[in-house]
Amino acid sequence: TKEANISFRGIAADKTKPSVTNIVAKTTTEINVIFSESNDLDPNTALNPANYVLDKSDFQILEAKFLDDETDSKTIVLTTSTQPDTAANFKMTVSNVADEFNNTMTKVDRFFTSTTDVSKGLAVSDTKVQLTLLKLLLSQLLLTQLTT
């Protein structure tokens, strides 16, 4: 019999825990939590709203979802009740989020500022509203030019 030498070279197991790099209030009802992670986040932990806790009860987290299931599993979009009317600083505690290799993050507190700019939340279906706003702005600009 002949002896065979077989070697296998696989990818080393990931031991790096996910960490939060940024929290951004995108609209008055949406907050993005961005993780620095080279692997996919575990959906069971990343999409659990209980893993994202606000320090004030001015508004609540209602739902957590990936920014894009197919292309971005490192940004979590939190849908909230309406945030306060004025820009305010908030602290969010993020914990228990793991990656696909079951590396669980260390609990962390991060600060972010709520947004009052509702125009950031306009969707494609709001095209008429956007066009109306554009017309108003252009009309004001033209009126200013004519009066000077």
Side-chain angles (χ1 to χ4, degrees):
T1 61
K2 288 188 176 182
E3 224 176 273
N5 289 330
I6 299 174
S7 63
F8 174 75
R9 293 182 184 249
I11 298 173
D14 174 40
K15 303 251 189 242
T16 305
K17 299 176 182 181
S19 64
V20 175
T21 59
N22 201 4
I23 297 177
V24 180
K26 299 300 279 182
T27 70
T28 57
T29 58
E30 189 176 281
I31 300 169
N32 286 1
V33 180
I34 301 136
F35 288 84
S36 68
E37 177 61 30
S38 58
N39 299 299
D40 290 338
L41 295 173
D42 168 43
N44 294 322
T45 59
L47 303 181
N48 182 350
N51 291 336
Y52 308 88
V53 178
L54 297 165
D55 68 333
K56 299 177 184 176
S57 61
D58 295 44
F59 58 100
Q60 284 78 40
I61 296 169
L62 306 173
E63 177 188 30
K65 62 183 180 181
F66 288 119
L67 179 64
D68 185 326
D69 289 330
E70 294 180 21
T71 61
D72 189 346
S73 66
K74 291 147 188 69
T75 301
I76 305 301
V77 178
L78 301 175
T79 303
T80 67
S81 55
T82 303
Q83 298 170 31
D85 292 351
T86 57
N89 292 321
F90 290 93
K91 178 175 79 171
M92 181 184 293
T93 302
V94 183
S95 61
N96 301 319
V97 175
D99 65 14
E100 63 185 323
F101 292 101
N102 208 29
N103 299 308
T104 303
M105 70 175 294
T106 304
K107 179 178 164 180
V108 66
D109 294 329
R110 290 283 188 265
F111 292 88
F112 70 97
T113 304
S114 64
T115 183
T116 58
D117 185 358
V118 294
S119 67
K120 289 182 181 177
L122 293 176
V124 175
S125 62
D126 298 319
T127 304
K128 288 182 182 180
V129 172
Q130 291 174 333
L131 289 174
T132 302
L133 288 172
L134 181 61
K135 285 178 186 178
L136 285 171
L137 289 171
L138 289 173
S139 296
Q140 286 178 332
L141 180 63
L142 182 60
L143 188 60
T144 303
Q145 293 295 324
L146 290 174
T147 58
T148 57

